[in-house]
Amino acid sequence: MSLSTPASLRFRPLGIDTSAEYVVYMHAGCHICRAEGFAAQTRVAVSANERTVIATLNIVRGDLLGIDEASLSVSAQCALGVRTGVMLQFSHVPVLASASHVRSKVFGQTLDRAALQAIVDDAVSGRLSDLHLAAFVTACAGERLTLDETVDLTEAMVTAGLRLDWQRHPVVDKHCVGGLPGNRTTPIVVAIVTACGLVMPKTSSRAITSPAGTADMMEVLAPVDLDADAIRRVVDQTGGCIVWGGGMQLSPADDVLIRIERPLDLDSDGQLVASILSKKLSAGSERVLIDLPVGPTAKVRDAVAAERLTNRLIAVGARLGLRVQVRQSDGRQPVGRGIGPGLEARDVLQVLNNDPQAPQDLVERALALAGDVLELGDAVAPGGGLVLARDTLESGLAWKQFQAICAAQGGLRAVPQAPLCHLVDAPRAGVVGAIDNRVLARIAKLAGAPQSKAAGVDLLVKLAEPVERQQPLYAIHAEAPGELHYALSYALAHPEVIQLEN
């Protein structure tokens, strides 16, 4: 048999979830496998309903599938829109030039714009397997992307998706590089900046490895899964928005590469810059402030790494017509008290309402960033941003603006509270000498965040604060006893999360 004309098998759903990876399942004895010599991991084109995806073949032995049947991963089934009994057509995948480019990068060669565009396009379309993409991500790690490659990769990622265009200028934005739990300044900054007349359509991500992304936190307070038309309506009404960017095909290659980077725990400067700036360019931003926390347990660990990343962000932005400003900030400890969507939303509302109980570190960090954005957007003369930001917050104008944005996005919601809470006390008296951001984030995730919106950690102490023996250091919030048990067990096994000095 030849697959020059497509061969067919009947679809039978098995409900296998492989995340975003497209996988096809065939019986080892089916006529297609026998005739073509297909083996596990072969890349196969699968067609139905006038749609085609490229999937990785897994071979089934036993009676899970008949020899005349095939199945698909849930993601591939959804992409093709097929139901039980539909005939699936199979054909060979043509040789991909992008796969050759990936191999070139593995061997240390520099890629030009055309090669990077081919890789990005085939990554977005699903023609490259996760194995190819893992090889590409690994080959780019360790600072092996040149400045030219970073510029070309950023442009390629923008070209592969939707690009928003706003009729008002300048369009400002901010982004935090990450690695700092509780650093939820975006809603406060957007409320202040747009209350002062600037345009700030903020598209944010959900959690990748953290207990909450900005979109997860904002979803506690208002809908964030808006399409491009809805976002334009919200921005026309209020000057800004705080929405999830993952559903609009803004730099979709970024989402693909992040999915690969996550289990590999790889995040090179070049790919990080391309990730950040491709999203900003796709969202129509013209001037961007980058918050770069620096600390021993933050994403960026030291001043040398921070300076290197700062220089690349500014240089790549300038090459692509994007004005980038970077504020390096203290990344030694979490910001605010809450770590987890609901707890961080509570902190944000306290700040916007000028609540005396609001965490002052979150207040001051948000005001500093808002002041920088106001100056970057020419809403105030240099040096006047912080004063204007503080006046806008303390007058209540920022709170009114935030309410208007929430109403335009679908309505302001109440913050949920977890039914379970456990305090972790200090084993002895001392002074807080260090806080491990990564361990705290892990505890919050084990407690259920971000899937359980009310779950997470409340940090009750800060660096340099004196504590007494048995004084509460932090509280674990959970919605289920099992999650509280796992989070508490991990916490007790890692007492170094909050180090006490004499």
Side-chain angles (χ1 to χ4, degrees):
M1 172 187 288
S2 172
L3 288 184
S4 56
T5 56
S8 301
L9 294 172
R10 192 175 304 279
F11 173 62
R12 178 182 175 186
L14 295 177
I16 300 174
D17 186 354
T18 60
S19 186
E21 185 178 11
Y22 295 158
V23 180
V24 58
Y25 304 89
M26 296 183 191
H27 193 283
C30 80
H31 59 285
I32 295 177
C33 287
R34 290 202 315 270
E36 298 301 325
F38 282 172
Q41 298 301 308
T42 300
R43 297 286 284 170
V44 179
V46 188
S47 302
N49 295 333
E50 299 183 347
R51 305 178 192 173
T52 299
V53 300
I54 309 299
T56 301
L57 176 61
N58 282 4
I59 300 297
V60 175
R61 302 183 188 278
D63 57 3
L64 192 62
L65 286 173
I67 61 172
D68 60 346
E69 294 178 321
S71 191
L72 298 167
S73 60
V74 173
S75 56
Q77 179 184 351
C78 292
L80 290 175
V82 294
R83 297 182 178 181
T84 303
V86 169
M87 297 305 294
L88 303 175
Q89 286 79 46
F90 300 92
S91 57
H92 282 297
V93 176
V95 176
L96 298 175
S98 59
S100 177
H101 300 324
V102 169
R103 286 191 293 274
S104 295
K105 192 60 187 172
V106 168
F107 285 103
Q109 295 184 26
T110 300
L111 301 182
D112 61 17
R113 170 60 194 277
L116 288 164
Q117 189 71 62
I119 291 172
V120 166
D121 289 345
D122 284 348
V124 171
S125 68
R127 289 189 289 269
L128 283 174
S129 71
D130 282 8
L131 289 174
H132 286 113
L133 295 175
F136 176 67
V137 166
T138 304
C140 294
E143 312 316 316
R144 285 183 288 230
L145 278 179
T146 67
L147 178 61
D148 286 342
E149 284 179 309
T150 305
V151 171
D152 289 340
L153 177 60
T154 306
E155 265 193 314
M157 291 168 69
V158 173
T159 302
L162 174 69
R163 187 166 186 175
L164 299 178
D165 182 24
W166 307 96
Q167 300 303 311
R168 300 157 66 181
H169 304 283
V171 179
V172 297
D173 205 343
K174 72 161 282 282
H175 178 85
C176 180
V177 169
L180 200 59
N183 191 21
R184 208 51 63 208
T185 57
T186 288
I188 305 164
V189 173
V190 171
I192 292 172
V193 167
T194 56
C196 293
L198 290 178
V199 180
M200 191 170 180
K202 183 74 177 75
T203 61
S204 299
S205 61
R206 296 190 185 274
I208 300 171
T209 58
S210 70
T214 298
D216 299 306
M217 185 287 305
M218 187 62 189
E219 194 170 40
V220 171
L221 300 174
V224 297
D225 191 3
L226 279 63
D227 61 22
D229 289 340
I231 290 173
R232 288 189 178 93
R233 175 182 53 78
V234 173
V235 175
D236 285 344
Q237 290 179 14
T238 67
C241 64
I242 309 158
V243 299
W244 177 52
M248 292 185 296
Q249 291 296 297
L250 299 177
S251 184
D254 183 43
D255 302 315
V256 174
L257 293 177
I258 284 174
R259 177 172 59 83
I260 301 301
E261 291 168 350
R262 185 185 304 147
L264 292 174
D265 196 22
L266 289 175
D267 200 3
S268 70
D269 277 6
Q271 287 175 325
L272 180 60
V273 168
S275 172
I276 294 170
L277 298 189
S278 68
K279 287 289 192 187
K280 299 308 170 190
L281 287 162
S282 296
S285 302
E286 298 168 326
R287 305 179 189 180
V288 179
L289 175 68
I290 306 293
D291 178 15
L292 182 57
V294 184
T297 58
K299 182 177 288 188
V300 180
R301 305 294 182 86
D302 55 50
V304 173
E307 196 62 26
R308 185 178 63 237
L309 181 57
T310 295
N311 292 337
R312 185 170 292 213
L313 282 162
I314 293 171
V316 173
R319 292 269 294 272
L320 297 175
L322 188 64
R323 185 172 162 189
V324 177
Q325 179 177 320
V326 179
R327 170 181 278 267
Q328 295 183 19
S329 55
D330 185 358
R332 295 175 299 156
Q333 62 180 332
V335 180
R337 285 189 291 271
I339 302 171
L343 296 169
E344 294 175 22
R346 176 209 60 198
D347 286 356
V348 165
L349 292 185
Q350 287 178 340
V351 173
L352 288 168
N353 279 285
N354 294 294
D355 188 329
Q357 300 300 314
Q360 288 305 300
D361 60 338
L362 180 60
V363 173
E364 296 305 322
R365 187 178 291 249
L367 287 175
L369 293 169
D372 284 352
V373 175
L374 289 169
E375 294 180 22
L376 187 63
D378 298 328
V380 66
L386 182 59
V387 172
L388 179 57
R390 193 178 299 277
D391 288 346
T392 306
L393 178 64
E394 292 180 351
S395 68
L397 288 176
W399 171 232
K400 290 180 181 178
Q401 177 69 359
F402 184 74
Q403 288 176 293
I405 291 171
C406 288
Q409 289 185 199
L412 184 61
R413 300 164 172 165
V415 177
Q417 291 187 333
L420 303 174
C421 179
H422 191 285
L423 294 172
V424 177
D425 298 335
R428 63 178 180 87
V431 176
V432 179
I435 297 175
D436 194 316
N437 293 311
R438 293 173 181 248
V439 174
L440 270 181
R442 177 66 174 163
I443 295 169
K445 288 168 65 178
L446 288 170
Q451 290 78 16
S452 299
K453 297 299 185 185
V457 169
D458 249 338
L459 183 62
L460 305 177
V461 296
K462 291 292 185 180
L463 287 175
E465 284 187 7
V467 299
E468 300 296 327
R469 183 176 179 273
Q470 294 187 332
Q471 176 182 331
L473 299 175
Y474 58 94
I476 302 174
H477 297 261
E479 296 183 14
E483 291 172 334
L484 179 60
H485 169 75
Y486 285 120
L488 181 58
S489 297
Y490 184 83
L492 295 177
H494 292 79
E496 75 279 5
V497 61
I498 296 180
Q499 296 180 19
L500 299 178
E501 300 176 346
N502 294 327

